[in-house]
Amino acid sequence: MNLPHRSGTYRGIESLDGTWSCAIDPNNAGIAERWFVAARDEAHPAPVPGTIQQVFPGYYGIAWYWCEFIHARNPHPHGRHLLRFGAVDYRAEVWINAERISTHDGAQSPFVLDVSDSVRPGERNLLCVRVLNPSEQAIDGISILQIPHRNKSASPGIGSSLNYGGIVGSVELLCRPALYISELIAKPNPQNGILHVLALVINTMEAAVPANLKFSVAASVGGETLQAGNTSRTLQPGQTLFETQVPLSAPRLWEPDDPYLYRLTARVLPDAGGRGDEVSTRFAFRDFRFVENQFRLNGRRFFWKCARTLNNYPVGQAVPLDANILRCELLCIKTMGFNAVRFMAGLAIVSQLDLCDELGLLVYEENYAAWHMQPSEGLEEHFDRTLRQMILRDRNHPSVVIWGLLTDTTDGVVFKRAIEALPQAAFLDDTRLIALNSGRADDNPDVASLSNPGSAEWNVLPLGSDVHLSAALPLTRAESDRIRALGEAEQQPIFLSDWRMPGTVNLLEAHRLFEQSGRSDSDDARFWAASLEQFLRDWEAWHMQEVFGRPEDFFARATARTDERQLEVLTALRANPRVIGLTLGLADDSSSGAGVLTAFRHPRRTALGGLVDGLSSLRWCLFAEPRFAAIGGKLKIEAVLTNQDALPAGMYPVLVQVFDPTNATVFERRTIIEIAGGQTPLAVAAVSEELTIESGPGRYRLAATFEQGASAAADTLQFLVAPPLPRLPEGTHINLLGEDAALVGWLNERGIPFSQTSGQESGTAGEIVLVVSSPHGSAPSAMFDQLSQRADDGSTVIFLTPEFFRAPDGKGWLSAGELATIAGLRHAGEPIDAWGTAHPILDNLEGCGLLDDRIFRELLPLVAFVDLDAGGQIVAAAHLSRIHPDEYRSGVLLSVHAHGTGRIVLSAFRILENLGLDAAAERLFMNLLHAAAATESTTLDTSSNTSRSI
């Protein structure tokens, strides 16, 4: 059994944390060469706790640690010397004074070794630890793929963690009496106020010892003793389990807003006299379970607002460079309005759970085998041991309310093992919810997702309710509607146990912070430096300084955009009355740009205010569609109130208004929201109406106001109204190449004259050729050559879609002559940071700087133009938001190229797909025509300083 966690000030505990010596053993020669006898000359100073990679970046395999210490004599007669490790990742082999003590496997679990026969009190001692941090190639028969390792990888990508290992927990030497308490368990029952106490006492003597065990319960801080008791027993050599019950009258319950803690103290004393051993632990009375499609804390509905973390930190990964970060990040999320933390596929650091106990943050904790476990001969042993170690270590923490067995795991032997592990988990702790597989990637309809306290069956929350959300970004109207309708068809609750929203990483800030910490050589610092190097090449080549000024300004705006997108998705989720809980990324600890804090745990400046509103228990969810409307067009507005039992029963008058750019009221509606007694819906619609905007263009505001009795957050929403489309100059000559019925209908509807062309005619000055496809029987490459000749003759040739350049077999892309090639920019739904220059083609689209999601959300493509010719003029370009050195993607979305006496325009925007449906598509299309038809040559002149050439 593991020793309970004791304060570092407890008498008889000596910390061995600090600087040790460390050497790597790439040839696995250390045991044969007896490295355990003395430290190697080539050893480097190494922090403990810490990782091997802090000292030897990029190394995985075997490393040896050495520490010399002088330990005081044990003051207890026949006392024992114990060596306690907080955690060693992954295998630890321990020697004291060249005597082998033991081996331990497990990345995060504490273990205790009795070293009484090996330690020399009062003399210099040598502690040696051989650590195996496995990679994909097996060492000592161990490969990282066959042991619990969550998402660690020797070749990390987006969403994965760097591989690391080492002595990642504290190391302590303990002096214990001959009788000592090895484990103290508190099992409070909030229904009857009875505390069930279990104490495991170790008798290291060879004979039985009569002893007395005393128990007392008090408030955790500064409280007088509330209850006490004792029991006597003759302790045989070895282990003896004491059990007793301590009743408390009307115990105070642990709540997020009142996290009341008690302290249980146990002391064992031999009847013959002498010093005994004393241990204490905190506990609390609370009940958390899933009933009637809702989470309930102490009998009341509880809306789960959770921050998810992998607990990865810069440089040290499992060990933050500054331990104060652990406290700051939890205080930060509590302030934002979160009420829970999910430690994904790995245990919390014990001090984090201590703080969660004190702050009232609920914890969903998963074991280290929960993710990416591979089938192997030792699967069952690895999985069961890792699960057992989690529960045994953390079951006294009242903040822990859910044990997680798996995350995002498909059906197979690992999933089946998790199903079968429920009786073991419930036997070790029957007071908590147990979650089977976060996200339910197994798709197995025969088993539910949760097991309630006191049960040993998977019996609540059906398949389809435990959801991992990956929202398509930027958030389109269709995607917003999809999120708002989650669970509607099945009429079942939605527990969003993870929401993966990649975003923009401020690469420059991260790079500078690594420099500031003096660790630019670390694995993760080099990872981000490689990404930054690629971005800065684009910055120079594309003259981005003329748009943003500094790279810092680009990243500040792009990270703010990430926060805006997160708030939009959060609003759609909160407007769904079936969503009973949601989970957001806490920090960018998986190299994806996700999270409300940066990897260095700095709050993102624009995230704080939005999240405080977004997570508020009483808030408005406002919608205006489309977000970029045309004058005279239809606009649907909605005001939805989300109420997490914040309002008492009653009638609440509400006023919903729309204000134009001059603050004149163009719409006004009053209504009454009735809050009945009992459990009310989590979201209720106040107003849903369609209106026509007849006022002028500009920024409009939708506002919802309680006129009496309540005040809700997020009470305004801005949307845009576009000015009328420009008219083309008289005599504009347009030729259309290819077939597109929607485009033809749109031109005819607006009275814009055009002619069909075969593409083989000669060009003329002032002619506009709109290219949508190559005529049947014509090879695109040959047709491009003919169109290039047409531009040489003075025409403006506009390629409205990159589909013209798709290879005939549909499996690749043809080049746009010598002007550019085409490459994939993103997968569907992946966010990009698109930006534009001060160019007439982007007039009235707020195009200079980052492109506004409200305007361009439907137009952003999956491909872009790359390798532009030196004379190409960039009008708009984009970078994939989640930048990664091996997956770096960027490209041009719209460019103008001088060609002879004419011009060629390349557009990747999804204009054709949205003509007649989207005001931005129509505006961009007309801007293209208007700029091409303008009599002033500077409108599309590639030498114009409104937009730099490459």
Side-chain angles (χ1 to χ4, degrees), residues 853-872:
D853 277 354
R854 293 170 297 185
I855 299 173
F856 285 91
R857 62 182 183 173
E858 305 287 352
L859 307 187
L860 298 179
L862 302 182
V863 300
F865 296 97
V866 298
D867 302 325
L868 265 69
D869 74 305

Side-chain angles (χ1 to χ4, degrees), residues 59 85 87 115 118 160 234 270 315 317 324 348 356 389 463 472 477 504 522 552 572 619 656 908 910-911 921:
Y59 175 78
F85 288 86
V115 296
S118 303
S160 66
T234 297
V315 184
Q317 299 301 307
N324 192 48
C356 288
Q389 289 168 343
L463 180 70
R477 181 174 186 173
T504 302
S522 67
E552 289 88 344
R619 63 156 294 189
V656 177
R910 300 179 70 250
I911 297 174

